[in-house]
Amino acid sequence: MSPLPEVLFAVARNPFLAVGIPIGLGTLSGLLTGTQARSPWFTTMKQPPGNPPRQAFGPTWTVLYGLMGYASHLAVRAFDAAITPSGTAQADEAVTLYWAQLALNLLWTPLFFGLKQPEIALADIAMLTGTVISMTAKMHKLDTPISTTWFLAPYCAWLGYATYLNAGFVFLNRNRKA
């Protein structure tokens, strides 16, 4: 018996919902805090080397949300098709990690931009990165028609880069008054 509510499995069973919900929630999070990315609070911060233009983040995250959503769909298919208790448990753990990482992911933008707490956002993204790496390893072991690693490797790479950027903002602006 999974600790997750059945509705979270039902959402991921439908590939359109599995892909659309994270894209929609990520877009909503970005829209709610997007003006802060153009505010003097952020634009006057010292930026770490390699910081891309802000216009790159929307398209990048849209693709990553879609990829992670489809990986969740494949994980739930593996859960439904599992014939052993260990197979069911492995898929259940992967799906649980998926929803946990999505919550941590959606929390980052309000922490960094909404509350203007880059240090707390750095702790969040560090937990997020660890959760995503663990989720990727769990999903990789599942019996899926296409390896979920193809869908999650770009996300892992981007999180490494995003963690660097967040840490850079914290370090370079450590003496700045809010």
Side-chain angles (χ1 to χ4, degrees):
M1 179 84 176
S2 177
L4 291 176
E6 174 56 31
V7 68
L8 297 180
F9 283 90
V11 164
R13 279 187 186 102
N14 181 315
F16 298 106
L17 291 177
V19 170
I21 287 187
I23 290 173
L25 291 173
T27 300
L28 182 62
S29 176
L31 289 175
L32 293 175
T33 57
T35 56
Q36 293 299 325
R38 295 180 297 279
S39 73
W41 172 80
F42 183 70
T43 59
T44 59
M45 290 179 95
K46 293 177 186 168
Q47 298 187 10
N51 190 45
R54 66 178 176 80
Q55 296 85 350
F57 288 92
T60 299
W61 276 111
T62 300
V63 169
L64 294 174
Y65 282 128
L67 291 171
M68 74 174 78
Y70 196 73
S72 77
H73 171 69
L74 293 173
V76 169
R77 283 182 57 185
F79 176 85
D80 291 340
I83 56 174
T84 64
S86 65
T88 300
Q90 185 81 6
D92 182 52
E93 289 172 20
V95 173
T96 299
L97 287 169
Y98 169 77
W99 288 107
Q101 70 79 29
L102 186 58
L104 288 167
N105 181 305
L106 295 171
L107 188 59
W108 185 90
T109 302
L111 288 172
F112 191 97
F113 289 108
L115 297 176
K116 300 177 182 172
Q117 295 293 322
E119 296 86 359
I120 297 171
L122 181 57
D124 175 80
I125 202 168
M127 290 185 294
L128 170 61
T129 301
T131 303
V132 170
I133 290 168
S134 180
M135 173 189 74
T136 301
K138 291 269 185 204
M139 285 190 183
H140 179 75
K141 295 175 185 174
L142 300 178
D143 184 18
T144 57
I146 305 167
S147 175
T148 57
T149 304
W150 291 108
F151 298 95
L152 298 174
Y155 184 31
C156 291
W158 181 261
L159 282 177
Y161 177 58
T163 302
Y164 153 76
L165 291 174
N166 192 156
F169 276 107
V170 169
F171 179 76
L172 294 172
N173 296 282
R174 65 191 176 280
N175 297 321
R176 181 182 166 165
K177 304 279 191 261

